[in-house]
Structure formats: C-alpha cells, structure tokens
C-alpha cells in the first residue's frame, strides 16, 4: 500500500515539475528571457532527477530486482537517463542551450510511461524466470543508457540540420543581394568554394556569430554524446550476446531485436567513419545520425509491437483506457 | 636535455624534419624508433606508399589494397549490410516456399516489383545465411583487413607527429591556430602541468596527450576481425544434438518438431508454453533423460573479440590532442589538433594559454625572432629558401 502510494506521488511530482520546466523554457523562447527563471528551471530538473531516482529505488526495494523487466519500467529508466544527460553539462558549468532538447525528452518519455496507454503494466510483477539473472542488470541498463545517449545525440544532429537548412534557404533566396547582412560567414566561403556563385564576403553580424557558435556546439556535443552512447550500445549488445549464449544456447540468433540493435550500431559506426573525413564532416554525419534516431525507435518500440521472437518480454499492445 | 638532433629532408624538399633524441623519461621509449624513422624515411623518399608493419602485405598489388581500403566503399558496404539485415527482419525467414508464393504473389507485387521470385532467387528466405549477405560480410572483412594495412606503423606516425618544423604553415592539418604573448619555455612547463608530453627544441615545441586514442581505431578493426573469424569458425564447426531434454533438471530446453528453438521452461514455475499449437506445462523433470550437447569451437574467439571490442571502443572515446608552437618575437604562435572533442579542446588550450606569463623584455629572444619571423613569410613550395632557413637554424644550435 505504502509502496504504490509513494510511487504514485513520486511519478506525479516528477511529471508536474518537468512540465513546469518545459513551460518556463517556452516562455523564455517565445515571450521574454527571465534570467532568474533559468536557475529555477535547472533546480526543477534536479528535483525531477531525484524523484525518478526515488521511484526506481522504491521499485527496486519492493520488487527485489532492478526495475527493468518490461516496457513501463524501461521507459522510466530511459527518462532517468535523459535527466542525467541533461544535468551533466550543468554540473560542468558549460552553460549551453542543449538543455532545450534533453529536458523535453525527459518529459515526453516520462509522460508516455505514466500515461493511460500503459496502465495495465504499472502493476509490478514477478520476474519471468528467464530474466532472473545477473545479466539483466548489465545488459538492459547498458542498452537503455545507450539508447538515451544516442537519442540525444541524434536529436542534436537533427537540430543541426534544421538550422543549417534554414540558413541555406536564406542564402539562396538572397543570392542576388550580396550586401545583405544576414549572410553567414563560413557558409559563404563554403558556397564560394563549391559553386563559385558568391564571392568571399566577410559580413559577420552578431546574430549569425551566435548561430555559428550554436552549430559548432551542436556538432561537437552531438559527436561526444553519440560516442558515449555508442560505447554503451556496444557493451549492451555484447553482454546481451554473452547472456544469450548462456540462456538460449547460442550468442547470436538473428532475433529481430538483436538484428535491429546491430543495425543501429552499424549506422552509428558509419557516422564515425564519415566524421573522419574533414570535408564531409558536419552535414553528412548529421544526416546519418538523424537516420539513427528513427532506427533507435524502431529497435526499441517497433520490434516490441510485433511481439515475436526471443525478446518478447517487452511486447505490449496499445490499449487506451478511457 | 637534448642528446642529439637529426635533420631530415626529402629529396624534393617537400617536407622536413627535426627529430630530437631526448633523455626525458617518456622520450626514452621513442629512442629506439628513431632508427625506424630513418629507415622508413629513406624508403619514403624513394617514393613508396604506406609502409605497413606486415612485410608480406607489400607483395599484394598496391592498387588492390588502396581500392579495398577506400572509405566510401566501406561506408557503402556497411549501409548495404544494414539494409540487408533490415530486409531480413521484414521478410519472414525460414518458411516453406508456399508461404512466399502467397505473401508476395506475382499478380500483385509488393512495391510494384517485389515478388517471390526475387526472394527465392536471392536467398532472402534464409537471409542470414544467404550468399548475398555472407558475401557482403566477407567484403567488409577484406575491407577491414585492407584498412589495417593502411595504418602505417604506429611508431612511424608518432615520429611523424614528433617532427616539428620551423614553419607552422607546413602541411600539418590543424583544428585551430592562435597566438599568445610569452615565452615558449613557459608554455612547455604549463603544458607539462596539464598532462601533455612536451618536446622542446629551440624556438619550436611539440606536445601531445592521450596517445592511446590514436591506436584505438586499429584495435576496433582488429576486434571486428576477431569476431568475424570466430563467427566463421562457429558456422563451420558448430554441432548440436537437438531434442527435448533436461539440462540439469532445473531448466528444460524445448524444440518443436522442425528443430526450431521454442523456449526454456523451469518445472517449478509451471508456466505454459505453446509448441506446435498445443499448450504444454512442464510438471516435473525426472533424471536420467539425457543430455543436450552443443559444441561451438568459435565461442572463445568470439568472446575474445567481444572483450577487445568493448575495451577499444571505450579507449577511442578519449581524445588525442597535439599542440605545435613556435616562438615569434615575444609571442608564441600556437596550433593545435585533436581527433575528438574539438570545441572543448580549443577552450582547454585557451585556458592554458591564459596562464602563460607575458615576457616584458628579452634581448636574446628578439635576435632569434628576427631570424625566425622571416620564415613565416615563405611559401610552402619554395624549397630553396626553405633549405636556407633550415641550414641557418642548424648553425645556430
């Protein structure tokens, strides 16, 4: 009784806090920048982190196993991982704007988990025998952490692409008017080298400088987070293979979930290989990372919807209870 | 602290090198590779390509190797493998041909052209053992091996990096370049405090950090090759005695009539399982029912590859940073390069440079700077004046 009440309270606190944080960010974006609110939004995210941690710890204590056995629990773990990723730059004193991506991710995953779509899964259950293993902790937690980091990184790449596309459209629109000060410095050089359309114009308005900084930050941070996510994904896949050898007889069965995890791994390996080439770096790697975003969702959710194969513990059917 | 200095130059003046043999602790390890540098540089001067560590590789036609280790080819291969795997999950595997006749009929082809003929001809019904897929994997393996040979001897590359030229505009690709007031000795001390290995010679400086990350990609490729080798061993040598037998009276592995794995059940859990349409509950397991044997010779190799892959992937996250610096009057021109976190590296170096104390007056430095500042104005392909400046620098030391 206490357990479910506590759980209830914690989920609702975290959900509401995160929604307030998102509202603050939206106000900052659309209306006006209140500097005092920035600190409180950061504190709100820290509160959320503690709430979700509390939720996970309570579930762990009451169930006796790490709360990672079905989709609901893994979603909560995912939002916990997102909130950690959100907090890391804050503690390293890198004041950056990337929290605009990590905070909503936390919010949406937490919201989906607590929403009515998965209520039949909220009840904690006894672990299926095949999952009663030490490997559960390592394999699943590594995979979820890897998913969270890779999702963040690919969202950064999507943001990179959006900002770059908006700029290119603007340049193409105004290619006749060379003196327009909304031109972007290095993009102009890029265009000049490639198409010989524009000349080297070193206009540099302050707005474009900050946009350039943002793009560089997105690129750099995206690569770093994807590197971390790649490490976690590798460890997760390989520990899953070792566990499979112990539990199912062979280390690789071409199970749909395994295969899609491997496909995701391959796509991010392509991402790193593209980044070795200085010329293609940035834009092309961002495209690949954006494809990776879709693949992760297919791997995590799509395969579960099919409900087949050896990974069927996470399968679910979307029932909307009104 | 400098024991001896070697001056190398190529016959056409396209590059130069100053190698110092120093007795600082870290540099002691690189002493024995300076002879390697001499030998390889002489060969390189003769116009060779990549000197791989494996001698027999040289007998392969160089063109084949360079084609196989082409980066776009590797990326294309990876994309193709990913696409084939995705296709393998979409198309049901291992069904009887009738299934495909029904599901992908010729009268109403999926996507307008995809009929059962495609599937059965290309072997997509058993995608993960089909010749197409295995061929792509083999191609990727050869690309990996070719990529390994293209990594020139790591020690040679290190010495290459240790070549710091008097002209910072040499063809060293840099991430950023900046200038700061001060003396190069102070910069060296500060860099050493920040964890860099510093080599200092006269007006120029070279420092690096995080050497392991430079070799991590080689490790990753080796690990992938190990895993592929292990997988091949498994495919060749694995054998299994399939039946419905108890492993250790606590867990029972169940197979259906076709031999496909269905699931694992423990008698105590009383959980039902569906096999061939019937729902079965294992009530109890009695001893003396037999064994399930499975031999798989590739497993140790594959596990070794797994471990290596995990380790090398972690190492490749670290960044390998290099810094070149050149004394220019009372200021120091600094260039840096890193392979991972570029913006953070720039911030870090800027912060370090902020600590370099300004040099207010220095008579000896200014004389040296007159000699050196002339170098910066020379073009890269002007070999004769380059040699002149080089010779004069040599004379000074």
């Amino acid at each position: 009784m206490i357990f479910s009440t506590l759980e209830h309270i914690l989920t609702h606190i975290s959900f509401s806090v995160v929604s307030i944080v998102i509202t603050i960010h939206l106000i900052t974006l659309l209306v006006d920048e209140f500097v005092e609110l920035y600190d409180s939004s950061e504190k709100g995210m820290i509160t959320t982190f503690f709430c979700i941690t509390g939720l996970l710890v309570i579930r762990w204590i009451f169930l006796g196993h790490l709360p990672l056995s079905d989709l609901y629990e893994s979603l909560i773990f995912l939002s916990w991982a997102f909130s950690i990723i959100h907090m890391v730059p804050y503690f390293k004193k890198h004041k950056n704007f990337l929290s605009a991506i990590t905070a909503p991710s936390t919010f949406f995953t937490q919201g989906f988990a607590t929403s009515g779509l998965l209520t039949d899964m909220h009840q904690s259950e006894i672990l299926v025998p095949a999952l009663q293993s030490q490997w559960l902790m390592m394999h699943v937690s590594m995979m979820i952490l890897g998913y969270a980091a890779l999702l963040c990184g690919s969202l950064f790449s999507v943001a990179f692409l959006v900002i770059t596309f908006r700029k290119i459209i603007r340049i193409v629109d105004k290619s006749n008017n060379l003196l327009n000060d909304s031109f972007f410095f290095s993009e102009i050089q890029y265009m000049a080298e490639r198409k010989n359309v524009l000349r080297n114009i070193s206009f540099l308005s302050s707005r474009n400088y900050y946009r350039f900084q943002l793009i560089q930050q997105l690129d750099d941070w995206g690569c770093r987070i994807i590197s971390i996510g790649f490490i976690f994904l590798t460890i997760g896949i390989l520990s899953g293979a070792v566990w499979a050898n112990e539990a199912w007889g062979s280390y690789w069965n071409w199970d749909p979930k395994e295969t899609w995890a491997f496909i995701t791994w391959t796509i991010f390996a392509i991402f790193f290989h593209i980044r070795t080439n200085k010329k293609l770096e940035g834009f092309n790697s961002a495209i690949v990372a954006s494809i990776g975003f879709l693949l992760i969702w297919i791997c995590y959710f799509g395969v579960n919807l099919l409900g087949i194969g050896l990974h069927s513990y996470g399968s679910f059917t979307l029932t909307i209870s009104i | 602290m400098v024991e001896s200095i070697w001056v190398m130059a190529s016959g056409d003046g396209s590059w130069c090198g100053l190698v110092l043999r120093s007795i600082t602790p870290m540099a002691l390890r690189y002493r024995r590779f300076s002879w390697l540098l001499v030998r390889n540089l002489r060969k390189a001067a003769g116009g060779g390509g990549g000197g791989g560590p494996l001698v027999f590789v040289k007998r392969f036609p160089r063109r084949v190797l360079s084609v196989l280790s082409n980066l776009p080819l590797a990326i294309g291969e990876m994309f193709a493998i990913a696409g084939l795997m995705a296709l393998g999950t979409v198309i049901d595997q291992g069904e009887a041909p009738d299934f495909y006749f029904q599901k992908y009929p010729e009268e109403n082809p999926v996507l307008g052209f995809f009929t059962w003929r495609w599937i059965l001809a290309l072997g997509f019904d058993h995608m993960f053992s089909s010749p197409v897929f295995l061929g792509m994997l083999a191609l990727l393996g050869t690309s990996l091996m070719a990529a390994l040979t293209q990594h020139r001897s790591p020690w040679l590359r290190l010495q290459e990096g240790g070549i710091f030229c008097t002209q910072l505009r040499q063809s060293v690709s840099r991430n950023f370049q900046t200038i700061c007031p001060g003396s190069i000795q102070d910069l060296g001390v500060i860099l050493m405090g920040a964890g860099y290995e510093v080599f200092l010679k006269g007006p120029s400086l070279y420092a690096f950090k995080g050497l392991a990350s430079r070799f991590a990609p080689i490790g990753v490729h080796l690990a992938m090759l190990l895993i592929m080798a292990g997988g091949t061993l498994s495919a060749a040598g694995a054998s299994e005695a399939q039946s419905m037998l108890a492993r250790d009276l606590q867990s029972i592995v169940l197979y259906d009539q076709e031999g496909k794995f269905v699931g694992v059940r423990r008698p105590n859990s009383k959980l039902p399982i569906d096999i061939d349409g019937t729902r079965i509950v294992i009530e109890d397991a009695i001893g003396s029912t037999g064994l399930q044997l499975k031999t798989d010779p590739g497993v140790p190799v594959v596990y070794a590859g797994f471990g290596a892959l995990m380790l090398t992937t972690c190492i490749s996250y670290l960044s390998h940073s290099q810094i070149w610096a050149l004394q220019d009057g009372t200021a120091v021109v600094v260039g840096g390069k890193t392979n991972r976190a570029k913006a953070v590296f720039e911030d870090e170096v800027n912060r370090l440079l902020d600590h370099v104390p300004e040099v207010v007056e220095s008579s000896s430095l200014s004389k040296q700077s007159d000699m050196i500042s002339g170098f910066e104005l020379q073009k890269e392909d002007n070999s004769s004046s380059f040699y002149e400046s080089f010779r004069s620098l040599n004379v000074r030391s």
Side-chain angles (χ1 to χ4, degrees):
Chain A
M1 188 55 210
I2 302 178
F3 161 57
S4 55
T5 326
L6 261 177
E7 212 186 330
H8 203 70
I9 294 175
L10 280 175
T11 44
H12 282 247
I13 291 179
S14 59
F15 188 76
S16 6
V17 166
V18 176
S19 54
I20 294 175
V21 167
I22 302 292
T23 321
I24 292 178
H25 277 295
L26 274 176
I27 292 176
T28 313
L29 176 68
L30 296 173
V31 179
D32 195 3
E33 175 140 8
F34 299 112
V35 181
E36 313 87 34
L37 280 186
Y38 180 75
D39 243 0
S40 51
S41 71
E42 287 301 318
K43 293 201 173 68
M45 285 305 291
I46 294 180
T47 319
T48 311
F49 167 68
F50 281 120
C51 285
I52 302 182
T53 313
L55 177 63
L56 286 172
V57 166
I58 286 176
R59 259 193 113 96
W60 192 350
I61 293 175
F62 274 90
L63 294 179
H65 63 84
L66 195 65
L68 279 174
S69 60
D70 59 10
L71 193 67
Y72 171 66
E73 293 175 345
S74 61
L75 272 176
I76 299 212
F77 201 85
L78 188 70
S79 57
W80 181 74
F82 275 130
S83 62
I84 288 187
I85 293 177
H86 174 89
M87 284 190 342
V88 164
Y90 176 67
F91 281 121
K92 285 196 173 175
K93 305 281 184 268
H94 288 141
K95 188 167 173 175
N96 59 9
F97 310 101
L98 304 176
S99 57
I101 289 180
T102 48
S105 312
T106 321
F107 174 66
F108 284 124
T109 42
Q110 181 74 3
F112 180 65
T114 48
S115 73
L117 292 171
L118 294 176
T119 32
D120 38 336
M121 257 192 243
H122 285 195
Q123 301 310 106
S124 47
E125 290 166 6
I126 308 175
L127 209 49
V128 173
L131 291 183
Q132 284 170 4
S133 160
Q134 291 297 95
W135 283 108
L136 171 72
M137 291 208 281
M138 180 162 170
H139 167 60
V140 184
S141 54
M142 284 288 138
M143 290 301 285
I144 305 281
L145 285 171
Y147 285 158
L150 289 174
L151 282 170
C152 271
S154 35
L155 280 176
F156 291 164
S157 301
V158 171
F160 179 92
L161 284 178
V162 166
I163 298 182
T164 314
F165 270 127
R166 289 188 59 192
K167 221 190 322 301
I168 290 183
I169 290 175
R170 197 170 295 154
I171 291 181
V172 168
D173 272 346
K174 298 177 175 153
S175 60
N176 293 327
N177 187 0
L178 296 177
L179 291 177
N180 194 304
D181 68 344
S182 62
F183 275 141
F184 179 69
F185 177 53
S186 72
E187 283 283 33
I188 288 175
Q189 274 188 315
Y190 171 79
M191 296 288 243
E193 284 162 26
R194 297 289 291 255
K195 295 183 189 169
N196 219 7
V197 171
L198 309 166
R199 300 281 169 255
N200 259 336
I201 303 174
S202 56
F203 272 101
L204 193 65
S205 78
S206 59
R207 195 164 43 120
N208 285 325
Y209 175 70
Y210 286 122
R211 198 174 284 158
F212 179 58
Q213 285 277 58
L214 182 62
I215 283 193
Q216 290 296 97
Q217 261 190 342
L218 278 174
D219 197 36
D220 204 53
W221 276 96
C223 183
R224 295 182 82 195
I225 287 193
I226 289 184
S227 302
I228 297 181
F230 191 72
I231 293 175
F232 284 140
L233 188 70
T234 311
I235 296 180
I237 292 180
L238 297 180
S239 57
V242 174
W243 188 13
N245 197 20
E246 193 184 292
W248 297 332
S250 108
Y251 53 82
W252 195 259
N253 294 304
W254 294 112
D255 179 52
K257 191 128 185 169
E258 284 175 346
T259 313
W260 277 102
F262 191 35
I263 293 176
T264 312
W265 189 90
T266 308
I267 289 291
F268 284 106
I270 295 176
F271 172 82
F272 287 120
H273 280 85
I274 290 183
R275 282 190 81 85
T276 60
N277 187 336
K278 294 281 179 254
K279 270 185 284 184
L280 302 177
E281 201 181 29
F283 188 71
N284 294 8
S285 56
I287 295 181
V288 173
S290 315
I291 299 176
F293 178 72
L294 292 171
L295 290 185
I296 294 176
W297 282 118
I298 297 179
C299 178
Y300 185 35
F301 259 39
V303 175
N304 286 343
L305 278 174
L306 290 178
I308 56 169
L310 304 164
H311 268 100
S312 52
Y313 316 111
S315 69
F316 68 102
T317 49
L318 280 177
T319 55
I320 303 182
S321 56
I322 302 176
Chain B
M1 290 210 301
V2 173
E3 214 181 77
S4 67
I5 301 129
W6 296 12
V7 174
M8 303 280 155
S10 74
D12 55 3
S14 59
W15 53 263
C16 76
L18 281 179
V19 180
L20 70 90
R21 285 174 67 177
S22 160
I23 55 174
T24 54
M26 182 74 177
L28 272 171
R29 281 180 233 169
Y30 307 133
R31 273 175 77 183
R32 54 194 171 107
F33 298 108
S34 44
W35 69 265
L36 190 69
L37 168 72
V38 178
R39 196 191 69 172
N40 279 317
L41 285 180
R42 284 208 191 112
K43 265 196 236 159
L54 308 163
V55 172
F56 75 87
V57 170
K58 288 213 197 338
R59 296 206 204 108
F60 266 97
R62 290 245 168 84
R63 258 190 49 195
V64 172
L65 271 185
S66 66
V67 163
L68 276 180
S69 66
N70 193 13
L71 183 68
L73 177 70
I75 293 179
E77 282 166 12
M78 289 196 273
F79 264 126
I81 289 180
L84 285 177
M85 287 198 284
L87 214 53
T89 53
V90 168
I91 303 176
D92 297 292
Q93 299 288 299
E95 305 280 348
D98 266 345
F99 177 82
Y100 300 109
F101 296 159
Q102 282 181 339
K103 193 145 190 224
Y104 301 93
E106 268 181 313
E107 306 78 48
N108 187 15
V110 174
L111 290 183
F113 67 95
F114 204 64
T115 66
W116 57 263
R117 288 190 191 279
W118 282 84
I119 295 179
L120 293 180
L122 291 171
F124 283 177
D125 58 331
H126 55 284
M127 167 73 80
F128 301 112
S129 46
S130 69
V132 175
F133 188 63
L134 294 179
M136 288 306 305
L137 280 181
L139 198 59
L140 187 68
T142 53
S143 279
L144 277 173
M145 287 193 271
L148 273 183
T149 63
Q150 294 300 90
H151 285 286
R152 308 219 319 257
S153 165
W155 303 114
L156 169 63
R157 296 206 78 192
L158 173 67
Q159 292 290 14
E160 228 183 288
I163 294 171
F164 39 95
C165 301
T166 57
Q167 292 188 3
L168 275 184
R169 290 212 189 99
Q170 287 283 309
S171 56
V172 169
S173 62
R174 287 177 299 282
N175 286 128
F176 79 99
Q177 187 167 337
T178 181
I179 191 165
C180 90
S183 88
I184 205 159
Q185 282 81 10
D186 293 330
L187 179 63
V189 168
I190 287 178
L191 283 177
M192 279 207 295
Y196 283 80
E197 290 296 324
V198 178
F199 297 83
L200 191 62
K201 159 72 183 102
S204 41
L205 172 149
Y206 171 70
F208 70 84
K209 182 161 84 158
L211 192 60
S213 164
R214 197 166 193 174
F215 309 133
I218 307 178
V220 172
H221 291 149
L222 271 175
M224 290 294 300
L225 278 175
L226 256 184
I227 294 177
M228 289 177 87
T232 321
L233 260 182
S234 292
S239 59
E240 195 174 304
Q242 306 178 17
S243 57
M244 182 165 78
L245 292 173
R247 191 140 142 270
D248 53 358
L249 286 187
Q250 286 309 312
S251 61
I252 299 187
V253 184
L254 295 150
Y255 296 82
D256 65 4
Q257 279 171 342
E258 290 168 48
K260 272 201 306 184
F261 172 80
V262 177
V264 180
R265 284 293 174 270
R266 300 172 76 93
N268 292 332
S269 71
K270 305 273 188 279
L271 285 173
I273 184 171
D274 281 342
I275 304 182
D276 294 294
T278 30
R279 185 164 279 234
I280 297 177
V281 175
I282 307 276
E283 295 290 333
D284 199 6
I286 312 168
S288 79
T289 40
L291 300 168
Q292 178 202 15
L293 290 174
K294 179 168 170 144
T295 67
D296 194 345
V299 169
V301 180
V302 169
Y303 277 14
F306 282 175
L309 189 61
M310 281 196 244
L311 200 63
T312 48
T313 328
C314 286
I315 292 179
S316 77
Y317 172 69
L318 309 168
S319 52
H320 170 63
S321 326
Q322 306 171 71
I323 292 182
W324 291 268
L326 186 61
Q327 185 85 47
D328 177 24
T330 56
V332 179
V333 179
V334 179
K337 173 181 175 188
T338 182
N339 65 352
R340 286 284 173 244
K342 301 186 171 60
V344 174
F345 174 60
E346 211 174 311
D347 286 340
E348 184 199 337
V349 174
N350 280 325
R351 260 185 295 121
L352 287 175
L353 290 181
D354 286 340
H355 289 295
V356 177
E358 242 185 79
V359 175
V360 177
E361 86 88 34
S362 53
S363 52
S364 60
L365 266 180
S366 56
K367 274 192 214 142
Q368 205 177 25
S369 75
D370 285 335
M371 181 65 68
I372 292 162
S373 51
F375 297 167
E376 286 219 33
L377 300 172
Q378 288 165 4
K379 293 199 186 32
E380 294 168 20
D381 49 0
N382 191 348
S383 52
S384 59
S385 59
F386 181 78
Y387 272 111
E388 265 174 39
S389 54
F390 210 44
R391 250 184 283 131
S392 45
L393 183 69
N394 219 8
V395 163
R396 286 190 64 77
S397 57

